[in-house]
């Protein structure tokens, strides 16, 4: 009887015990490409801000300290999860083609695509979305006024900071183009050449621009005196922006792409990003295999075949959702993936030219990503960009920021390769007021016990990097390990697996070649992934910042 009572008591106790899962992390985690940006985020959390205020601070600070990657003259996707009401949304602050956009402006006298015009100088620049996003996020999701959340970035711009080796390396790559523009060279080539490490970049004009945004919000940048100065300056150096273009620019709230993978909800970027749809296709295909048991070359082969199929679709169907009708529901459906999976031979590569032909993506390589979980469990995954390093390499005097070269993310001439030897189609043709297709893939993976916030720069390789990061997380890798892992990539065309140095052993390479794959090892590593995760069972928060970047910093506190 006693025993029975004890047993009963134990059962009651077990039932009455709270589920171990913590409702809130209690601490915050921020991983970004720069220590000063991560610190800016924590500074704003310390002022009583939430993850969205911290995102404003990190985003703006990156705009100052990583001018090669993103900035006030660029665009961004901010994926948000708000705990209070469960709202999940992506702020689309992608650049917009100006009203005067005409694909012919990128052609030379012979009608050939003139790459110089699409990546260098003012014709390469779309209307910036970054300032609008900072204001929108602060006003609709934050708790603090912009004066507070932009304060760290304003201070960094005014007092200066020492650009890191990565910034200077990219400056070296772009110096000849920067030297053509008086505004950009005054800022970045102070003595007519690339400064040595230790040089302090002070940018009072950018501090003033940020102050105007802090004081006057959206209108302060997109209309009135500031807009007139910007448009006049762009016209003076050969661009075609108008006041009406700036007045039209709006942040769009987009419903994220949401799908299930191994009992977890994946929340990711919808069009005008191609990332979420391609990620859904790849994970849906791979869901049909027990990857926990498939290792080595056999697994790489299946992942590559999933990549190949998703990238084929990505270029054929996707573009700006306000202009292009897309079969999104079909593309992300498990049934569609099952059909694609059925076409994969377990041991033989499918040559890309045996699949219905289309084009591969064409996004630039420099961009930046940061991930945030705050003490309440609000999430932000943000990827922001000016496209190629230092964007269009022009600065309108008095503004302090580089214009983006995002117009090159359009398929500027059907069938003609872009800067990366790639081509695109109608769904992503340049038209007035359209937003160019992107690969930026800020993503959350939310399971019953764990949450991951992940993303990376890296042009067309962004999506496969996010895929590999998620697969590694399911294999048990901590954020620091999964951001540091070696990478491989396939994007349908060219029909090769790109690999970083030492991604595969000699034996693995040989086996992949025997399956019919062609491998191409690049000189440089790629990506700069920043990820954080939260284990609700143990309460642990972790962060990882890619060791490929010199200043990346993940902190938990
Ligand atoms: N410009 C890089 C991307 O949007 O994918």
């Amino acid at each position: 009887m006693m025993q029975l009572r004890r047993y009963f008591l134990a059962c009651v106790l077990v039932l009455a015990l709270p589920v171990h899962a913590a409702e809130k992390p209690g601490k915050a985690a921020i991983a970004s490409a720069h220590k000063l940006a991560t610190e800016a985020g924590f500074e704003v959390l310390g002022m009583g801000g939430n993850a969205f205020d911290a995102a404003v601070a990190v985003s703006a600070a990156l705009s100052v300290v990583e001018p090669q990657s993103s900035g006030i003259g660029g665009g961004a996707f901010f994926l948000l999860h708000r705990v209070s009401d469960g709202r999940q949304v992506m702020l689309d602050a992608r650049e917009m083609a100006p009203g005067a956009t005409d694909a012919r402006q990128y052609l030379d006298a012979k009608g050939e695509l003139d790459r110089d015009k699409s990546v260098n100088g003012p014709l390469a620049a779309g209307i910036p979305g970054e300032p609008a996003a900072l204001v929108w996020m602060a006003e609709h999701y934050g708790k603090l006024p912009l004066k507070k959340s932009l304060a760290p970035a304003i201070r960094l711009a005014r007092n200066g900071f020492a650009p890191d080796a990565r910034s200077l390396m990219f400056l070296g790559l772009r110096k000849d183009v920067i030297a053509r523009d008086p505004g950009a060279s005054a800022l970045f080539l102070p003595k007519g050449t690339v400064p040595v490490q230790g040089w302090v970049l002070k940018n009072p004009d950018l501090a003033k621009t940020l102050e105007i945004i802090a004081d006057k919000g959206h209108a302060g940048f997109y209309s009135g005196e500031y807009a007139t100065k910007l448009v006049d300056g762009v016209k003076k150096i050969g661009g075609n922006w108008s006041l009406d273009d700036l007045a039209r620019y709006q942040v769009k709230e987009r419903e994220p792409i949401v799908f299930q993978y191994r009992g977890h909800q994946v929340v990711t970027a919808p069009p005008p990003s191609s990332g979420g749809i391609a990620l859904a296709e790849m994970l849906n295909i791979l869901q049909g295999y027990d990857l926990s048991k498939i290792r080595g070359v056999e697994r790489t082969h299946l992942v590559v075949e999933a990549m190949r199929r998703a990238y084929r679709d990505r270029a054929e169907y996707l573009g700006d959702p306000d202009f292009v009708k897309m079969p999104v529901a079909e593309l992300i459906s498990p049934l569609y993936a099952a059909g694609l999976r059925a076409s994969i031979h377990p041991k033989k590569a499918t040559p890309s030219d045996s699949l219905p032909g289309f084009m591969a993506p064409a996004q630039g390589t420099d961009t930046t990503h940061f991930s945030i979980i705050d003490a309440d469990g609000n999430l932000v995954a943000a990827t922001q960009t000016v496209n190629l390093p230092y964007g269009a390499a022009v600065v309108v005097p008095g503004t302090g920021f580089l214009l983006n070269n995002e117009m090159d993310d359009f398929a500027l001439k059907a069938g003609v390769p872009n800067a990366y030897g790639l081509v695109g189609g109608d769904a992503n043709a340049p038209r007035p007021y359209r937003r160019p297709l992107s690969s930026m893939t800020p993503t959350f993976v939310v399971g019953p016990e764990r949450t991951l916030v992940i993303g990376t720069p890296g042009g067309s390789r962004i999506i496969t990097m996010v895929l590999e990061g998620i697969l590694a997380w399911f294999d048990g890798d901590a954020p620091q390990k999964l951001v540091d892992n070696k990478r491989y990539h396939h994007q349908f065309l060219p029909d090769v697996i790109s690999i970083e140095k030492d991604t595969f052993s000699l034996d693995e390479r040989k086996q992949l070649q025997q399956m019919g794959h062609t491998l191409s090892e690049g000189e440089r590593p790629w990506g700069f992934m920043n990820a954080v995760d939260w284990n609700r069972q143990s309460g642990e928060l972790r962060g990882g910042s890619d060791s490929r970047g010199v200043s990346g910093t993940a902190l938990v506190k």
Side-chain angles (χ1 to χ4, degrees):
M1 183 68 192
M2 194 63 180
Q3 240 174 357
L4 201 66
R5 196 181 300 154
R6 230 182 267 143
Y7 174 74
F8 177 74
L9 208 66
C11 288
V12 169
L13 270 175
V14 166
L15 289 175
L17 277 175
V19 182
H20 283 305
E23 305 252 312
K24 294 177 177 188
K27 289 181 178 178
I30 303 179
S32 89
H34 207 291
K35 184 169 184 270
L36 294 170
T38 297
E39 286 172 356
F42 276 105
E43 184 179 329
V44 163
L45 289 176
M47 293 176 195
N50 59 17
F52 314 116
D53 297 304
V56 171
V58 175
S59 174
L62 287 170
S63 295
V64 177
V65 300
E66 248 203 330
Q68 76 276 11
S69 303
S70 72
I72 290 301
F77 295 142
F78 292 90
L79 187 67
L80 313 181
H81 171 92
R82 182 167 60 192
V83 165
S84 59
D85 58 358
R87 178 160 178 70
Q88 311 208 103
V89 67
M90 189 186 83
L91 305 186
D92 165 7
R94 185 73 165 155
E95 299 88 336
M96 179 189 84
T101 296
D102 180 341
R104 287 172 300 186
Q105 72 202 7
Y106 302 104
L107 306 183
D108 64 16
K110 292 189 199 137
E112 304 298 331
L113 187 62
D114 183 347
R115 179 66 50 207
D116 191 48
K117 289 184 181 150
S118 71
V119 298
N120 300 323
L123 287 178
I127 305 301
E130 178 76 28
L134 297 178
V135 176
W136 186 274
M137 195 152 47
E139 288 179 350
H140 293 81
Y141 296 92
K143 296 199 312 199
L144 298 179
L146 278 166
K147 276 195 170 87
K148 287 194 171 170
S149 48
L150 288 181
I154 293 169
R155 199 178 58 230
L156 285 167
R158 182 155 289 125
N159 297 348
F161 67 98
D164 66 18
R166 193 166 183 270
S167 272
L168 297 176
M169 182 271 290
F170 280 124
L171 195 50
L173 288 181
R174 297 285 279 155
K175 72 172 185 317
D176 292 344
V177 186
I178 289 173
R180 292 188 215 162
D181 177 65
S185 41
L187 200 52
F188 296 111
L189 304 174
K191 290 188 180 144
T193 183
V194 178
V196 294
Q197 212 167 342
W199 164 63
V200 173
L201 170 56
K202 291 188 182 178
N203 192 341
D205 289 338
L206 182 54
K208 268 186 252 149
T209 296
L210 290 165
E211 275 167 351
I212 286 168
I213 296 168
D215 285 348
K216 300 188 179 157
H218 184 103
F221 183 90
Y222 290 93
S223 61
E225 209 182 308
Y226 196 89
T228 305
K229 176 168 85 173
L230 188 54
V231 166
D232 287 351
V234 167
K235 282 189 177 146
K236 214 180 256 175
I237 54 174
N240 58 8
W241 291 9
S242 72
L243 281 174
D244 179 57
D245 294 331
L246 286 179
R248 271 172 188 264
Y249 191 87
Q250 290 297 335
V251 168
K252 309 254 173 156
E253 292 217 339
R254 310 267 187 205
E255 215 175 289
I257 298 288
V258 179
F259 61 95
Q260 299 294 317
Y261 179 72
R262 291 177 59 184
H264 290 59
Q265 189 183 57
V266 182
V267 183
T268 182
S273 174
S274 57
I277 291 173
L279 186 64
E281 278 195 55
M282 294 186 290
L283 285 171
N284 280 338
I285 293 172
L286 294 171
Q287 194 141 217
Y289 305 104
D290 185 357
L291 287 191
S292 64
K293 298 209 178 91
I294 306 174
R295 297 278 150 191
V297 163
E298 202 186 329
R299 173 168 169 161
T300 305
H301 165 71
L302 296 175
V303 174
V304 164
E305 291 305 323
M307 291 173 176
R308 183 197 308 278
R309 283 156 179 79
Y311 272 70
R312 197 212 76 86
D313 285 350
R314 174 224 181 268
E316 175 154 9
Y317 296 115
L318 305 184
D320 182 342
D322 295 337
F323 291 81
V324 181
K325 258 185 114 55
M326 292 169 272
V328 175
E330 286 86 339
L331 291 174
I332 67 169
S333 83
L335 206 64
Y336 178 66
L340 295 176
R341 194 184 311 119
S343 71
I344 297 175
H345 189 289
K347 293 208 171 353
K348 269 197 208 135
T350 313
S352 289
D353 62 13
S354 71
L355 294 171
F358 217 82
M359 304 105 175
Q363 276 76 39
T365 54
D366 215 53
T367 294
T368 193
H369 174 88
F370 63 90
S371 297
I372 302 181
I373 300 177
D374 74 10
D376 289 326
N378 294 304
L379 312 178
V380 179
T383 315
Q384 56 187 49
T385 185
V386 286
N387 199 24
L388 296 185
Y390 292 89
V394 288
V395 172
V396 170
T399 64
F401 61 83
L402 287 150
L403 302 188
N404 65 83
N405 57 4
E406 224 69 55
M407 295 300 283
D408 194 61
D409 273 357
F410 281 116
L412 291 173
K413 190 174 179 204
V416 173
N418 83 336
Y420 300 93
L422 304 164
V423 286
D426 250 15
N428 188 31
R431 300 276 184 272
Y433 315 125
R434 262 195 194 183
R435 297 174 186 215
L437 191 61
S438 170
S439 293
M440 296 190 292
T441 314
T443 298
F444 308 141
V445 185
V446 183
E449 294 176 3
R450 306 188 298 156
T451 294
L452 172 70
V453 182
I454 188 169
T456 182
S460 58
R461 293 167 175 163
I462 287 175
I463 318 170
T464 55
M465 279 187 263
V466 172
L467 169 75
E468 286 163 51
I470 292 173
L471 294 178
W473 190 67
F474 275 96
D475 285 341
D477 283 2
Q480 190 58 54
K481 166 101 174 53
L482 69 87
V483 300
D484 284 343
N485 285 339
K486 291 286 177 188
R487 295 172 176 144
Y488 59 96
H489 169 79
H490 194 291
Q491 58 178 43
F492 180 63
L493 288 176
D495 191 351
V496 293
I497 307 175
S498 310
I499 53 172
E500 290 182 310
K501 207 166 170 321
D502 300 331
T503 296
F504 300 129
S505 67
L506 278 179
D507 186 49
E508 286 169 325
R509 289 177 194 218
K510 213 151 76 204
Q511 289 185 55
L512 285 164
Q513 281 157 348
Q514 278 162 358
M515 288 172 147
H517 293 288
T518 305
L519 276 76
S520 160
E521 184 182 284
E523 289 294 304
R524 282 202 255 140
W526 66 77
F528 192 162
M529 186 174 277
N530 287 291
V532 295
D533 77 353
W534 170 31
N535 185 324
R536 285 190 296 284
Q537 295 295 303
S538 65
E540 191 184 12
L541 273 179
R542 304 181 295 184
S545 184
D546 206 321
S547 320
R548 292 167 183 82
V550 289
S551 302
T553 303
L555 292 175
V556 175
K557 44 186 177 173

